[in-house]
Amino acid sequence: METEEKSLNFIEHIIENDLAEGKHENRVHTRFPPEPNGYLHIGHAKSICLNGGLAQKYKGKFNLRFDDTNPETEEVEYVNSIRNDVKWLGFQWDNEFCASDYFDQLYQYAIQLIEKGLAYVDDSSPEEIAVQKGTPTMAGTGNDFRNRSIAENLALFTEMKEGKHADGSKVLRAKIDLASPNMHMRDPLLYRIKRATHHRTGDTWCIYPMYDFAHGQSDSIENITHSICTLEFIPHRPLYEWGIEQLGIFPSKQYEFARLNMTYAIMSKRKLLQLVTEGHVSSWDDPRMPTISGMRRRGYTPESIRDFCERIGIAKRENIIDFSLLEFCVREHLNKIAQRRMVVTDPVKLIITNYTQSEEMLSSENNPEDTEGGVRQVPFSNELWIERDDFMEEPTKKYFRLGPDFMVRLKSAYIIKCDRFEKDAAGKVQTIYASYFANSKSGADTSGLHVKGTLHWVSAKHAVPVVLNEYDRLFSVEDVANAEGDFKDYINPNSLHTITTAWGEPALLNDAADMRFQFVRKGYFYQDTTSTKDKLVYNRTVTLKDAWAKEQKK
């Protein structure tokens, strides 16, 4: 029992205490409330896994709520992408709501605050309001609008709703405490005038609630028991509680945890949008992006992302997580499930001179880590493609691949010996000639020969052309968010390398588009959304080993 208790994160401790005390009728009801103004990123995945996971663990409910209170930046495209991402991660919400569902109710809440003398219409400009709020060390100052009567405020707020005032000419503010040490409590804005067509309500409204007002009240309307936010919302919590208390509505409670910060990545939707609109990446789902859709397109698995979120845990203190940990989780899962295939990326022709058969089919394991993975048939012939790097004219010491008079094993096939090679006019090796040992077939080797090197290969007359996109870190510095100057100055110019000369084994033509692969000795790959039968395109999900860390140590 003690071991289990230690494994709980601090939010789980809170929930278990609440349940033990019978709070909220012994219910757990969480929500994930994204604003549909961009695609979700890996930081949102942490929140989804936390909120969705708590509901699952405690047999509670989980809401997906779109915080759609800013119509200028929100689009249906983003709404759909968010739904897809949450489902792909493995979570199904019990209810789907939008803050816009509550516009009428939120308006009535605002009326109640005005009637209680707790809200007023202010004609000040944003600049004037900023000055009137004072500084963290100096109290704010009131203005004449703060002394308007309840009747005048009700009339003006009605006029704001009816569109009788210009955008920005008036706001509704809470009347709290201009001397509060918390700047968020110094008469915060509740509503502003904004003539913008909403993707759900159209032009019905020209006033929209501010996030701080809509958030707590929406949680309360939905009877959310545990409203979990990131640490930057700690100063907002008193306003959250003030609104609920003054309105006398369901007492949802806000808790904060550390957001996810990662090396070599940006976790700002505004900056990610810049990368897309300015053409630094191809789209929101560009495989180099830290978006969930980009990771899905790159070949990451939902299981590996959930594992990553579990490993980093839930804490109260900010830190920065090494991107390599995410790659480790992806690599570990793919090693278990990925089908093995052979692909040659920089081909050189290998002719086996004494192989007299036209061809034969050889068995090769689909995944040595999976006892039930089975085998596939790979065509073998006397003309093969091998990697240029697997041949050396003058082999160095401890070189165990192919060279003059050297022997190697061709994976799942035979042992061969290099007899000679030819160069083209430019002095580049063009063709390698070898002989094979017929009694050295993999699985039935009686040759008695022992070799140290094994090469992958593809039969030249059966090979299918493939295009490979090899991805690296999008940024060249670890802490991009805090780097000096424009974050775009740190974009890694070598974040994408496309190989168009690759050849793959023919099984790829019949493999399902959503299969994960380990291209032997090359890395883990996943078929891109642009791939067709006529032009197979694969994205490198992750390398076989942590090549980036090794490169940085040089």
Side-chain angles (χ1 to χ4, degrees), residues 491-521:
I491 293 175
N492 177 12
N494 301 313
S495 61
L496 170 60
H497 175 231
T498 299
I499 300 173
T500 59
T501 57
W503 294 96
E505 60 178 88
L508 293 171
L509 288 172
N510 299 314
D511 287 327
D514 61 350
M515 287 177 64
R516 266 77 179 181
F517 298 105
Q518 182 194 110
F519 289 165
V520 178
R521 299 171 61 212

PDB file of all heavy atoms in Angstrom, residues 491-521:
ATOM      1  N   ILE A 491      16.574  28.183 -36.653  1.00  0.00           N
ATOM      2  CA  ILE A 491      16.070  27.038 -37.413  1.00  0.00           C
ATOM      3  C   ILE A 491      17.240  26.267 -38.006  1.00  0.00           C
ATOM      4  O   ILE A 491      18.155  26.843 -38.597  1.00  0.00           O
ATOM      5  CB  ILE A 491      15.107  27.507 -38.531  1.00  0.00           C
ATOM      6  CG1 ILE A 491      13.834  28.083 -37.909  1.00  0.00           C
ATOM      7  CG2 ILE A 491      14.765  26.356 -39.472  1.00  0.00           C
ATOM      8  CD1 ILE A 491      12.868  28.672 -38.919  1.00  0.00           C
ATOM      9  N   ASN A 492      17.222  24.972 -37.830  1.00  0.00           N
ATOM     10  CA  ASN A 492      18.284  24.101 -38.330  1.00  0.00           C
ATOM     11  C   ASN A 492      18.152  23.945 -39.847  1.00  0.00           C
ATOM     12  O   ASN A 492      17.167  23.375 -40.323  1.00  0.00           O
ATOM     13  CB  ASN A 492      18.181  22.735 -37.640  1.00  0.00           C
ATOM     14  CG  ASN A 492      19.198  21.733 -38.151  1.00  0.00           C
ATOM     15  OD1 ASN A 492      20.135  22.073 -38.868  1.00  0.00           O
ATOM     16  ND2 ASN A 492      19.009  20.472 -37.771  1.00  0.00           N
ATOM     17  N   PRO A 493      19.108  24.443 -40.623  1.00  0.00           N
ATOM     18  CA  PRO A 493      19.004  24.352 -42.089  1.00  0.00           C
ATOM     19  C   PRO A 493      19.096  22.914 -42.600  1.00  0.00           C
ATOM     20  O   PRO A 493      18.761  22.639 -43.753  1.00  0.00           O
ATOM     21  CB  PRO A 493      20.191  25.190 -42.579  1.00  0.00           C
ATOM     22  CG  PRO A 493      21.184  25.140 -41.457  1.00  0.00           C
ATOM     23  CD  PRO A 493      20.362  25.109 -40.206  1.00  0.00           C
ATOM     24  N   ASN A 494      19.538  22.004 -41.757  1.00  0.00           N
ATOM     25  CA  ASN A 494      19.683  20.601 -42.153  1.00  0.00           C
ATOM     26  C   ASN A 494      18.634  19.709 -41.497  1.00  0.00           C
ATOM     27  O   ASN A 494      18.861  18.517 -41.292  1.00  0.00           O
ATOM     28  CB  ASN A 494      21.083  20.110 -41.778  1.00  0.00           C
ATOM     29  CG  ASN A 494      22.179  20.923 -42.454  1.00  0.00           C
ATOM     30  OD1 ASN A 494      22.127  21.180 -43.652  1.00  0.00           O
ATOM     31  ND2 ASN A 494      23.164  21.353 -41.680  1.00  0.00           N
ATOM     32  N   SER A 495      17.487  20.294 -41.186  1.00  0.00           N
ATOM     33  CA  SER A 495      16.453  19.522 -40.493  1.00  0.00           C
ATOM     34  C   SER A 495      15.750  18.524 -41.405  1.00  0.00           C
ATOM     35  O   SER A 495      15.049  17.633 -40.931  1.00  0.00           O
ATOM     36  CB  SER A 495      15.420  20.458 -39.859  1.00  0.00           C
ATOM     37  OG  SER A 495      14.778  21.241 -40.864  1.00  0.00           O
ATOM     38  N   LEU A 496      15.905  18.672 -42.714  1.00  0.00           N
ATOM     39  CA  LEU A 496      15.306  17.726 -43.654  1.00  0.00           C
ATOM     40  C   LEU A 496      16.300  17.376 -44.752  1.00  0.00           C
ATOM     41  O   LEU A 496      16.872  18.250 -45.391  1.00  0.00           O
ATOM     42  CB  LEU A 496      14.037  18.319 -44.295  1.00  0.00           C
ATOM     43  CG  LEU A 496      13.435  17.539 -45.478  1.00  0.00           C
ATOM     44  CD1 LEU A 496      13.041  16.131 -45.071  1.00  0.00           C
ATOM     45  CD2 LEU A 496      12.247  18.290 -46.062  1.00  0.00           C
ATOM     46  N   HIS A 497      16.507  16.079 -44.940  1.00  0.00           N
ATOM     47  CA  HIS A 497      17.353  15.576 -46.020  1.00  0.00           C
ATOM     48  C   HIS A 497      16.550  14.534 -46.784  1.00  0.00           C
ATOM     49  O   HIS A 497      16.148  13.517 -46.214  1.00  0.00           O
ATOM     50  CB  HIS A 497      18.632  14.951 -45.457  1.00  0.00           C
ATOM     51  CG  HIS A 497      19.486  14.308 -46.508  1.00  0.00           C
ATOM     52  ND1 HIS A 497      19.976  13.018 -46.402  1.00  0.00           N
ATOM     53  CD2 HIS A 497      19.920  14.769 -47.709  1.00  0.00           C
ATOM     54  CE1 HIS A 497      20.682  12.724 -47.487  1.00  0.00           C
ATOM     55  NE2 HIS A 497      20.658  13.774 -48.288  1.00  0.00           N
ATOM     56  N   THR A 498      16.300  14.798 -48.052  1.00  0.00           N
ATOM     57  CA  THR A 498      15.487  13.888 -48.858  1.00  0.00           C
ATOM     58  C   THR A 498      16.371  13.048 -49.770  1.00  0.00           C
ATOM     59  O   THR A 498      17.217  13.585 -50.492  1.00  0.00           O
ATOM     60  CB  THR A 498      14.458  14.667 -49.702  1.00  0.00           C
ATOM     61  OG1 THR A 498      13.591  15.390 -48.825  1.00  0.00           O
ATOM     62  CG2 THR A 498      13.625  13.718 -50.554  1.00  0.00           C
ATOM     63  N   ILE A 499      16.173  11.740 -49.724  1.00  0.00           N
ATOM     64  CA  ILE A 499      16.930  10.794 -50.558  1.00  0.00           C
ATOM     65  C   ILE A 499      16.008  10.286 -51.657  1.00  0.00           C
ATOM     66  O   ILE A 499      14.959   9.702 -51.383  1.00  0.00           O
ATOM     67  CB  ILE A 499      17.443   9.612 -49.718  1.00  0.00           C
ATOM     68  CG1 ILE A 499      18.362  10.127 -48.607  1.00  0.00           C
ATOM     69  CG2 ILE A 499      18.166   8.600 -50.590  1.00  0.00           C
ATOM     70  CD1 ILE A 499      18.775   9.047 -47.616  1.00  0.00           C
ATOM     71  N   THR A 500      16.397  10.496 -52.894  1.00  0.00           N
ATOM     72  CA  THR A 500      15.555  10.100 -54.032  1.00  0.00           C
ATOM     73  C   THR A 500      16.134   8.930 -54.813  1.00  0.00           C
ATOM     74  O   THR A 500      15.556   8.511 -55.820  1.00  0.00           O
ATOM     75  CB  THR A 500      15.364  11.297 -54.985  1.00  0.00           C
ATOM     76  OG1 THR A 500      16.655  11.743 -55.438  1.00  0.00           O
ATOM     77  CG2 THR A 500      14.647  12.443 -54.288  1.00  0.00           C
ATOM     78  N   THR A 501      17.274   8.396 -54.346  1.00  0.00           N
ATOM     79  CA  THR A 501      17.959   7.333 -55.104  1.00  0.00           C
ATOM     80  C   THR A 501      17.785   5.958 -54.465  1.00  0.00           C
ATOM     81  O   THR A 501      18.504   5.018 -54.791  1.00  0.00           O
ATOM     82  CB  THR A 501      19.457   7.637 -55.195  1.00  0.00           C
ATOM     83  OG1 THR A 501      19.998   7.770 -53.864  1.00  0.00           O
ATOM     84  CG2 THR A 501      19.707   8.924 -55.962  1.00  0.00           C
ATOM     85  N   ALA A 502      16.852   5.829 -53.523  1.00  0.00           N
ATOM     86  CA  ALA A 502      16.741   4.603 -52.739  1.00  0.00           C
ATOM     87  C   ALA A 502      15.932   3.522 -53.461  1.00  0.00           C
ATOM     88  O   ALA A 502      15.035   3.811 -54.262  1.00  0.00           O
ATOM     89  CB  ALA A 502      16.102   4.912 -51.393  1.00  0.00           C
ATOM     90  N   TRP A 503      16.273   2.269 -53.139  1.00  0.00           N
ATOM     91  CA  TRP A 503      15.556   1.109 -53.657  1.00  0.00           C
ATOM     92  C   TRP A 503      15.118   0.226 -52.488  1.00  0.00           C
ATOM     93  O   TRP A 503      15.887  -0.025 -51.573  1.00  0.00           O
ATOM     94  CB  TRP A 503      16.439   0.284 -54.596  1.00  0.00           C
ATOM     95  CG  TRP A 503      16.820   0.995 -55.859  1.00  0.00           C
ATOM     96  CD1 TRP A 503      17.969   1.677 -56.107  1.00  0.00           C
ATOM     97  CD2 TRP A 503      16.038   1.096 -57.054  1.00  0.00           C
ATOM     98  NE1 TRP A 503      17.969   2.198 -57.379  1.00  0.00           N
ATOM     99  CE2 TRP A 503      16.783   1.850 -57.992  1.00  0.00           C
ATOM    100  CE3 TRP A 503      14.775   0.616 -57.434  1.00  0.00           C
ATOM    101  CZ2 TRP A 503      16.315   2.137 -59.266  1.00  0.00           C
ATOM    102  CZ3 TRP A 503      14.300   0.904 -58.711  1.00  0.00           C
ATOM    103  CH2 TRP A 503      15.075   1.657 -59.605  1.00  0.00           C
ATOM    104  N   GLY A 504      13.858  -0.234 -52.555  1.00  0.00           N
ATOM    105  CA  GLY A 504      13.346  -1.070 -51.485  1.00  0.00           C
ATOM    106  C   GLY A 504      12.885  -2.424 -51.994  1.00  0.00           C
ATOM    107  O   GLY A 504      12.659  -2.618 -53.193  1.00  0.00           O
ATOM    108  N   GLU A 505      12.740  -3.345 -51.063  1.00  0.00           N
ATOM    109  CA  GLU A 505      12.261  -4.665 -51.461  1.00  0.00           C
ATOM    110  C   GLU A 505      10.785  -4.567 -51.872  1.00  0.00           C
ATOM    111  O   GLU A 505      10.046  -3.706 -51.382  1.00  0.00           O
ATOM    112  CB  GLU A 505      12.477  -5.680 -50.353  1.00  0.00           C
ATOM    113  CG  GLU A 505      11.781  -5.376 -49.049  1.00  0.00           C
ATOM    114  CD  GLU A 505      12.007  -6.479 -48.018  1.00  0.00           C
ATOM    115  OE1 GLU A 505      13.017  -6.423 -47.275  1.00  0.00           O
ATOM    116  OE2 GLU A 505      11.157  -7.394 -47.969  1.00  0.00           O
ATOM    117  N   PRO A 506      10.308  -5.443 -52.761  1.00  0.00           N
ATOM    118  CA  PRO A 506       8.967  -5.308 -53.334  1.00  0.00           C
ATOM    119  C   PRO A 506       7.826  -5.498 -52.352  1.00  0.00           C
ATOM    120  O   PRO A 506       6.687  -5.120 -52.648  1.00  0.00           O
ATOM    121  CB  PRO A 506       8.944  -6.385 -54.433  1.00  0.00           C
ATOM    122  CG  PRO A 506      10.006  -7.352 -54.059  1.00  0.00           C
ATOM    123  CD  PRO A 506      11.066  -6.543 -53.387  1.00  0.00           C
ATOM    124  N   ALA A 507       8.082  -6.056 -51.163  1.00  0.00           N
ATOM    125  CA  ALA A 507       7.015  -6.220 -50.166  1.00  0.00           C
ATOM    126  C   ALA A 507       6.365  -4.889 -49.820  1.00  0.00           C
ATOM    127  O   ALA A 507       5.181  -4.834 -49.465  1.00  0.00           O
ATOM    128  CB  ALA A 507       7.583  -6.866 -48.904  1.00  0.00           C
ATOM    129  N   LEU A 508       7.129  -3.808 -49.966  1.00  0.00           N
ATOM    130  CA  LEU A 508       6.613  -2.481 -49.620  1.00  0.00           C
ATOM    131  C   LEU A 508       5.397  -2.106 -50.455  1.00  0.00           C
ATOM    132  O   LEU A 508       4.545  -1.324 -50.012  1.00  0.00           O
ATOM    133  CB  LEU A 508       7.714  -1.429 -49.793  1.00  0.00           C
ATOM    134  CG  LEU A 508       8.900  -1.529 -48.819  1.00  0.00           C
ATOM    135  CD1 LEU A 508      10.015  -0.575 -49.228  1.00  0.00           C
ATOM    136  CD2 LEU A 508       8.449  -1.232 -47.390  1.00  0.00           C
ATOM    137  N   LEU A 509       5.301  -2.651 -51.656  1.00  0.00           N
ATOM    138  CA  LEU A 509       4.171  -2.329 -52.521  1.00  0.00           C
ATOM    139  C   LEU A 509       2.854  -2.836 -51.957  1.00  0.00           C
ATOM    140  O   LEU A 509       1.785  -2.268 -52.227  1.00  0.00           O
ATOM    141  CB  LEU A 509       4.389  -2.905 -53.923  1.00  0.00           C
ATOM    142  CG  LEU A 509       5.446  -2.222 -54.789  1.00  0.00           C
ATOM    143  CD1 LEU A 509       5.685  -3.025 -56.058  1.00  0.00           C
ATOM    144  CD2 LEU A 509       5.009  -0.794 -55.137  1.00  0.00           C
ATOM    145  N   ASN A 510       2.914  -3.902 -51.198  1.00  0.00           N
ATOM    146  CA  ASN A 510       1.695  -4.504 -50.670  1.00  0.00           C
ATOM    147  C   ASN A 510       1.478  -4.244 -49.183  1.00  0.00           C
ATOM    148  O   ASN A 510       0.463  -4.656 -48.625  1.00  0.00           O
ATOM    149  CB  ASN A 510       1.712  -6.020 -50.922  1.00  0.00           C
ATOM    150  CG  ASN A 510       1.781  -6.352 -52.402  1.00  0.00           C
ATOM    151  OD1 ASN A 510       1.052  -5.770 -53.207  1.00  0.00           O
ATOM    152  ND2 ASN A 510       2.657  -7.277 -52.764  1.00  0.00           N
ATOM    153  N   ASP A 511       2.433  -3.580 -48.567  1.00  0.00           N
ATOM    154  CA  ASP A 511       2.298  -3.279 -47.140  1.00  0.00           C
ATOM    155  C   ASP A 511       1.268  -2.174 -46.921  1.00  0.00           C
ATOM    156  O   ASP A 511       1.142  -1.249 -47.726  1.00  0.00           O
ATOM    157  CB  ASP A 511       3.640  -2.841 -46.556  1.00  0.00           C
ATOM    158  CG  ASP A 511       4.615  -4.000 -46.404  1.00  0.00           C
ATOM    159  OD1 ASP A 511       4.158  -5.128 -46.137  1.00  0.00           O
ATOM    160  OD2 ASP A 511       5.832  -3.771 -46.563  1.00  0.00           O
ATOM    161  N   ALA A 512       0.540  -2.277 -45.824  1.00  0.00           N
ATOM    162  CA  ALA A 512      -0.472  -1.274 -45.501  1.00  0.00           C
ATOM    163  C   ALA A 512       0.184   0.082 -45.216  1.00  0.00           C
ATOM    164  O   ALA A 512       1.304   0.155 -44.712  1.00  0.00           O
ATOM    165  CB  ALA A 512      -1.279  -1.724 -44.288  1.00  0.00           C
ATOM    166  N   ALA A 513      -0.527   1.148 -45.536  1.00  0.00           N
ATOM    167  CA  ALA A 513       0.023   2.499 -45.399  1.00  0.00           C
ATOM    168  C   ALA A 513       0.309   2.866 -43.947  1.00  0.00           C
ATOM    169  O   ALA A 513       1.160   3.718 -43.678  1.00  0.00           O
ATOM    170  CB  ALA A 513      -0.929   3.512 -46.012  1.00  0.00           C
ATOM    171  N   ASP A 514      -0.401   2.239 -43.003  1.00  0.00           N
ATOM    172  CA  ASP A 514      -0.211   2.619 -41.604  1.00  0.00           C
ATOM    173  C   ASP A 514       0.753   1.705 -40.856  1.00  0.00           C
ATOM    174  O   ASP A 514       0.837   1.754 -39.629  1.00  0.00           O
ATOM    175  CB  ASP A 514      -1.562   2.634 -40.876  1.00  0.00           C
ATOM    176  CG  ASP A 514      -2.243   1.269 -40.873  1.00  0.00           C
ATOM    177  OD1 ASP A 514      -1.773   0.369 -41.587  1.00  0.00           O
ATOM    178  OD2 ASP A 514      -3.257   1.123 -40.160  1.00  0.00           O
ATOM    179  N   MET A 515       1.504   0.880 -41.585  1.00  0.00           N
ATOM    180  CA  MET A 515       2.478   0.004 -40.938  1.00  0.00           C
ATOM    181  C   MET A 515       3.732   0.772 -40.541  1.00  0.00           C
ATOM    182  O   MET A 515       4.136   1.705 -41.240  1.00  0.00           O
ATOM    183  CB  MET A 515       2.862  -1.155 -41.858  1.00  0.00           C
ATOM    184  CG  MET A 515       1.780  -2.204 -42.006  1.00  0.00           C
ATOM    185  SD  MET A 515       2.240  -3.519 -43.178  1.00  0.00           S
ATOM    186  CE  MET A 515       3.649  -4.235 -42.326  1.00  0.00           C
ATOM    187  N   ARG A 516       4.324   0.359 -39.438  1.00  0.00           N
ATOM    188  CA  ARG A 516       5.602   0.929 -39.013  1.00  0.00           C
ATOM    189  C   ARG A 516       6.717   0.002 -39.483  1.00  0.00           C
ATOM    190  O   ARG A 516       6.569  -1.222 -39.436  1.00  0.00           O
ATOM    191  CB  ARG A 516       5.652   1.055 -37.494  1.00  0.00           C
ATOM    192  CG  ARG A 516       5.222   2.417 -36.973  1.00  0.00           C
ATOM    193  CD  ARG A 516       3.766   2.613 -36.980  1.00  0.00           C
ATOM    194  NE  ARG A 516       3.409   3.930 -36.453  1.00  0.00           N
ATOM    195  CZ  ARG A 516       2.176   4.359 -36.333  1.00  0.00           C
ATOM    196  NH1 ARG A 516       1.171   3.590 -36.706  1.00  0.00           N
ATOM    197  NH2 ARG A 516       1.916   5.566 -35.865  1.00  0.00           N
ATOM    198  N   PHE A 517       7.833   0.598 -39.907  1.00  0.00           N
ATOM    199  CA  PHE A 517       8.938  -0.200 -40.433  1.00  0.00           C
ATOM    200  C   PHE A 517      10.252   0.152 -39.755  1.00  0.00           C
ATOM    201  O   PHE A 517      10.483   1.302 -39.385  1.00  0.00           O
ATOM    202  CB  PHE A 517       9.119   0.033 -41.936  1.00  0.00           C
ATOM    203  CG  PHE A 517       7.929  -0.362 -42.763  1.00  0.00           C
ATOM    204  CD1 PHE A 517       7.086   0.604 -43.288  1.00  0.00           C
ATOM    205  CD2 PHE A 517       7.650  -1.700 -43.013  1.00  0.00           C
ATOM    206  CE1 PHE A 517       5.992   0.247 -44.042  1.00  0.00           C
ATOM    207  CE2 PHE A 517       6.553  -2.066 -43.767  1.00  0.00           C
ATOM    208  CZ  PHE A 517       5.710  -1.093 -44.293  1.00  0.00           C
ATOM    209  N   GLN A 518      11.091  -0.863 -39.656  1.00  0.00           N
ATOM    210  CA  GLN A 518      12.510  -0.611 -39.423  1.00  0.00           C
ATOM    211  C   GLN A 518      13.198  -0.977 -40.724  1.00  0.00           C
ATOM    212  O   GLN A 518      13.206  -2.141 -41.115  1.00  0.00           O
ATOM    213  CB  GLN A 518      13.085  -1.460 -38.299  1.00  0.00           C
ATOM    214  CG  GLN A 518      14.564  -1.143 -38.038  1.00  0.00           C
ATOM    215  CD  GLN A 518      15.260  -2.171 -37.167  1.00  0.00           C
ATOM    216  OE1 GLN A 518      16.101  -2.925 -37.643  1.00  0.00           O
ATOM    217  NE2 GLN A 518      14.904  -2.190 -35.888  1.00  0.00           N
ATOM    218  N   PHE A 519      13.724   0.027 -41.417  1.00  0.00           N
ATOM    219  CA  PHE A 519      14.536  -0.263 -42.589  1.00  0.00           C
ATOM    220  C   PHE A 519      15.900  -0.677 -42.049  1.00  0.00           C
ATOM    221  O   PHE A 519      16.580   0.110 -41.398  1.00  0.00           O
ATOM    222  CB  PHE A 519      14.632   0.952 -43.506  1.00  0.00           C
ATOM    223  CG  PHE A 519      13.337   1.273 -44.222  1.00  0.00           C
ATOM    224  CD1 PHE A 519      13.151   2.506 -44.839  1.00  0.00           C
ATOM    225  CD2 PHE A 519      12.312   0.344 -44.282  1.00  0.00           C
ATOM    226  CE1 PHE A 519      11.969   2.798 -45.500  1.00  0.00           C
ATOM    227  CE2 PHE A 519      11.112   0.624 -44.945  1.00  0.00           C
ATOM    228  CZ  PHE A 519      10.947   1.863 -45.544  1.00  0.00           C
ATOM    229  N   VAL A 520      16.257  -1.912 -42.295  1.00  0.00           N
ATOM    230  CA  VAL A 520      17.406  -2.551 -41.664  1.00  0.00           C
ATOM    231  C   VAL A 520      18.651  -1.662 -41.744  1.00  0.00           C
ATOM    232  O   VAL A 520      19.036  -1.204 -42.815  1.00  0.00           O
ATOM    233  CB  VAL A 520      17.682  -3.919 -42.318  1.00  0.00           C
ATOM    234  CG1 VAL A 520      18.913  -4.582 -41.703  1.00  0.00           C
ATOM    235  CG2 VAL A 520      16.458  -4.828 -42.159  1.00  0.00           C
ATOM    236  N   ARG A 521      19.209  -1.378 -40.576  1.00  0.00           N
ATOM    237  CA  ARG A 521      20.432  -0.586 -40.417  1.00  0.00           C
ATOM    238  C   ARG A 521      20.240   0.892 -40.758  1.00  0.00           C
ATOM    239  O   ARG A 521      21.207   1.654 -40.757  1.00  0.00           O
ATOM    240  CB  ARG A 521      21.589  -1.158 -41.259  1.00  0.00           C
ATOM    241  CG  ARG A 521      21.969  -2.599 -40.874  1.00  0.00           C
ATOM    242  CD  ARG A 521      22.947  -3.205 -41.862  1.00  0.00           C
ATOM    243  NE  ARG A 521      24.191  -2.459 -41.934  1.00  0.00           N
ATOM    244  CZ  ARG A 521      24.926  -2.342 -43.043  1.00  0.00           C
ATOM    245  NH1 ARG A 521      24.530  -2.921 -44.159  1.00  0.00           N
ATOM    246  NH2 ARG A 521      26.048  -1.665 -43.026  1.00  0.00           N
TER     247      ARG A 521
END
